[in-house]
Amino acid sequence: MKHILVIPDVHVPYHDKKAFQLTLQIIKAIEPHEVVVIGDFADFYSVSQYPKTPGRKLQLKDEVADVNKELDALANVTKAVTYLEGNHEDRLRRYLQEKAPELFGITDIASLFRLKERGWKHVEYGDFYKRARVLYVHDLGKAGVNATSQTMAIAGGNVVFGHTHRGEVRYRGHHGSQGHFGLNVGW
């Protein structure tokens, strides 16, 4: 049996640094076969379409540097990583599309975070990663109290997802049938 550790919605640079350090210690101790970053590892507040809080503004280069610092720390404890983009990473694509389409193709998440250089798998936002009988995805467009049930229904089987910042596990099935689970990994 392969062990997969999932890292949900970290939102660097606004993350809990102690919790992330603990995650790194756990990875080092249990040596999972793979780590799946389920999306929103980066926050990309600087390119968000939403109004900015004065004093919280960062420049994009500062956010990218902070994310790479934490990804370097992750790379120091494991090499087998699959990085899924979330809606917060997608903020960069949307920003370029709306405000600087001339820069498309010059920069993207994979190059900013050196994912290929690190030897990591990369999954763009809106796509998914399937391992054995489990679908890993940041979100399938559902949020709120019924997100797990709705995401399970869309996935049509076992699914692990983030996005909602809620932790929840749902099981579906009955005696004589193959059951399915939905794991909303929270924040």
Side-chain angles (χ1 to χ4, degrees):
M1 176 187 286
K2 301 237 181 219
H3 295 97
I4 296 175
L5 186 136
V6 176
I7 299 177
D9 300 64
V10 179
H11 291 278
V12 173
Y14 306 109
H15 62 303
D16 184 324
K17 291 169 181 60
K18 287 182 183 178
F20 187 67
Q21 288 303 310
L22 179 60
T23 301
L24 297 175
Q25 290 172 14
I26 290 167
I27 293 168
K28 196 171 183 175
I30 67 172
E31 298 178 349
H33 293 92
E34 183 175 6
V35 171
V36 176
V37 175
I38 205 84
D40 288 1
F41 190 87
D43 194 82
F44 279 109
Y45 182 77
S46 61
V47 294
S48 170
Q49 67 185 9
Y50 300 104
K52 310 292 187 294
T53 302
R56 189 178 191 204
K57 283 187 195 174
L58 286 178
Q59 291 188 342
L60 180 60
K61 68 180 178 81
D62 298 327
E63 285 191 75
V64 170
D66 287 346
V67 170
N68 274 312
K69 178 182 168 204
E70 299 298 21
L71 292 177
D72 288 343
L74 179 58
N76 285 333
V77 296
T78 186
K79 301 299 175 217
V81 176
T82 298
Y83 188 106
L84 281 75
E85 292 181 23
N87 60 300
H88 280 251
E89 283 91 355
D90 195 52
R91 286 175 169 178
L92 177 65
R93 183 199 54 79
R94 290 190 318 262
Y95 180 87
L96 292 173
Q97 183 176 347
E98 294 168 14
K99 305 215 184 215
E102 304 81 7
L103 299 179
F104 256 100
I106 291 177
T107 191
D108 58 21
I109 297 302
S111 60
L112 284 176
F113 298 154
R114 305 186 315 265
L115 302 179
K116 192 178 288 188
E117 189 180 305
R118 296 177 198 278
W120 294 356
K121 295 176 191 141
H122 171 236
V123 178
E124 293 183 358
Y125 181 62
D127 208 349
F128 60 86
Y129 174 60
K130 189 155 188 181
R131 177 86 172 182
R133 295 184 310 120
V134 180
L135 184 79
Y136 296 86
V137 64
H138 179 66
D139 70 273
L140 291 174
K142 300 300 176 188
V145 296
N146 297 313
T148 305
S149 294
Q150 293 170 337
T151 300
M152 284 178 71
I154 294 168
N158 300 319
V159 63
V160 176
F161 70 103
H163 184 60
T164 68
H165 300 193
R166 300 170 192 260
E168 183 178 16
V169 180
R170 292 268 175 131
Y171 299 96
R172 186 171 289 147
H174 55 81
H175 179 70
S177 74
Q178 185 173 357
H180 297 289
F181 70 86
L183 175 60
N184 186 343
V185 290
W187 185 19

